[in-house]
Amino acid sequence: MKYLVIAFLLAANTAVCQDTNSPNIFIITTDGFRWQEVFTGADSSLLFNSSYVDDTATLRYLYWANTAEERRQKLMPFLWNYVAQKGQLWGNRNYGNDVSVINPYKISYPGYNELLTGYNDWFISLNRKTYNSNSNLLDYLNNTDRYKNKVAAFGSWKLFKYILNNPSSNLPLNCGYQQSEDDTLTLTEKATNYIEATSNENKEATRRDMLTFTLAAEYIKKKHPKVVFIGFGETDEFAHNGRYDLYLNQANLFDKFLAELWQLTQTDKFYKNKTLFFITTDHGRGDKPTTWSTHGFWAKGSKETWLAEFGADIQPLGEVKEKDSIHTIQFPQTIANYLGEDFRADHRVAAASQILLSATTINK
């Protein structure tokens, strides 16, 4: 009997060690941000157009340069000074390196469904308050042995409540102008709750990204989830409003969010050297000056997206220039494989991207 107890304790200790050492992942999106700005920086046909930019002189100073390499570095310095050295960037169509959604609607709800369920649901065609019947990767991971109750999601857009099917889920989710609820709120969380409650914008569909970032960062520091989804939304909001200046400013702020989140993980022993970042968008936008502010079935360019990844086990390939094709629908199973899991659902799940799997040292 004594030996059985010892064996049980050893097994339990091993399980704890495996849990501690299993990889962590941050899945981060910024809504409707074009690959054109990611890889070539500010678009001159929009940057110098007073219909889309209030102060073209200041925007020229902030984001303009003669080459695409300089422009993209000014717009997203962390992405191009750090991620491009340590990780991978996919989706520069100037080299035939394509990343795309496959859903025909090319709007947010179908895009996030594809991104999080690995399934193209033809019946999800609108951005409306309808609970998603499809199983998603976050819920799946939250019920596995290694990641049970160690998954959390944050979103600026309030429809994540429906996309992630929150009522039938035990996944911690904070989206829209939702208050942070916990028995031990930090001063920062209390202050953010107050700002949300008193803001004259708190009836809007999309919360300010800075508030989403603040609540997510506080939760990460306090709870140490192993899988984190953060969906930022203001790039899309400003684009729809025809404000290319604010769209660029928000992309620049998004880049700062990435830098701060990465610095957070690399100064915390729970995450350091055991965490990878997977960064993408839910859809593209029109590829002409007359269509850049919109997206959808009729807007050419709306299916065109991009991907950046870096961190634990990701090979430092930089900007990938080989002719390849990757689809958003492949992301959930790819991410599951990164974590040593096999995403199974009550619907068909697209196979993982062998292109992405071959570009890591995971499970090799």
Side-chain angles (χ1 to χ4, degrees), residues 16-300:
V16 170
C17 291
Q18 288 174 341
D19 177 72
T20 302
N21 293 324
S22 58
N24 314 298
I25 190 165
F26 284 39
I27 307 163
I28 308 172
T29 64
T30 185
D31 200 300
F33 187 55
R34 301 194 307 176
W35 71 268
Q36 289 92 332
E37 278 77 23
V38 172
F39 290 100
T40 63
D43 183 335
S44 61
S45 67
L46 300 172
L47 185 71
F48 304 125
N49 189 330
S50 59
S51 297
Y52 305 124
V53 175
D54 281 352
D55 182 356
T56 57
T58 300
L59 265 286
R60 173 189 286 271
Y61 170 77
L62 288 173
Y63 303 124
W64 184 249
N66 290 328
T67 69
E69 289 75 17
E70 292 175 289
R71 292 195 300 273
R72 69 191 188 186
Q73 193 172 53
K74 291 183 78 170
L75 180 63
M76 307 186 82
F78 178 69
L79 197 69
W80 288 105
N81 289 327
Y82 187 87
V83 178
Q85 302 300 317
K86 305 289 186 179
Q88 304 169 9
L89 290 104
W90 302 79
N92 189 341
R93 289 173 178 261
N94 293 321
Y95 297 106
N97 192 262
D98 300 350
V99 183
S100 311
V101 297
I102 69 166
N103 76 82
Y105 312 110
K106 303 159 196 168
I107 60 175
S108 290
Y109 198 138
Y112 286 117
N113 174 74
E114 184 177 333
L115 171 63
L116 294 168
T117 71
Y119 176 58
N120 177 27
D121 190 336
W122 288 83
F123 293 100
I124 296 178
S125 59
L126 299 171
N127 293 332
R128 61 182 181 181
K129 298 177 182 178
T130 303
Y131 287 111
N132 194 348
S133 62
N134 302 315
S135 304
N136 66 74
L137 174 67
L138 302 180
D139 248 341
Y140 176 83
L141 291 173
N142 202 41
N143 288 288
T144 62
D145 292 338
R146 284 195 290 182
Y147 294 99
K148 190 174 183 63
N149 299 324
K150 295 172 184 175
V151 182
F154 295 83
S156 294
W157 195 32
K158 68 181 183 182
L159 260 66
F160 279 115
K161 173 182 177 181
Y162 300 91
I163 295 167
L164 293 172
N165 201 14
N166 199 233
S168 63
S169 163
N170 62 355
L171 175 72
L173 168 65
N174 182 289
C175 62
Y177 277 90
Q178 179 182 347
Q179 299 275 286
S180 181
E181 298 178 356
D182 195 3
D183 293 335
T184 56
L185 291 175
T186 67
L187 289 176
T188 300
E189 287 172 324
K190 290 178 181 178
T192 307
N193 277 350
Y194 177 78
I195 293 169
E196 288 192 350
T198 58
S199 171
N200 60 8
E201 299 175 334
N202 62 16
K203 303 300 181 185
E204 299 292 331
T206 301
R207 171 170 62 188
R208 291 288 182 177
D209 284 343
M210 180 60 78
L211 297 173
T212 299
F213 168 78
T214 301
L215 289 176
E218 285 297 292
Y219 186 96
I220 290 163
K221 288 185 281 188
K222 186 167 64 173
K223 302 286 190 178
H224 288 101
K226 293 182 69 62
V227 178
V228 181
F229 172 81
I230 309 176
F232 295 107
E234 285 190 283
T235 42
D236 189 65
E237 293 294 325
F238 290 134
H240 279 302
N241 291 332
R243 293 296 304 272
Y244 193 65
D245 45 2
L246 300 183
Y247 169 83
L248 292 181
N249 286 342
Q250 199 62 32
N252 182 255
L253 182 60
F254 173 72
D255 185 77
K256 291 182 173 66
F257 292 156
L258 297 178
E260 289 193 38
L261 288 167
W262 183 247
Q263 194 270 342
L264 186 161
T265 65
Q266 297 310 292
T267 54
D268 187 321
K269 64 182 181 180
F270 182 86
Y271 292 112
K272 187 174 182 179
N273 299 326
K274 293 181 291 185
T275 302
L276 65 91
F277 276 31
F278 192 97
I279 307 153
T280 188
T281 189
D282 56 325
H283 56 72
R285 315 196 71 79
D287 56 9
K288 296 180 173 61
T290 54
T291 61
W292 79 274
S293 64
T294 190
H295 59 89
F297 185 82
W298 299 109
K300 185 177 179 295

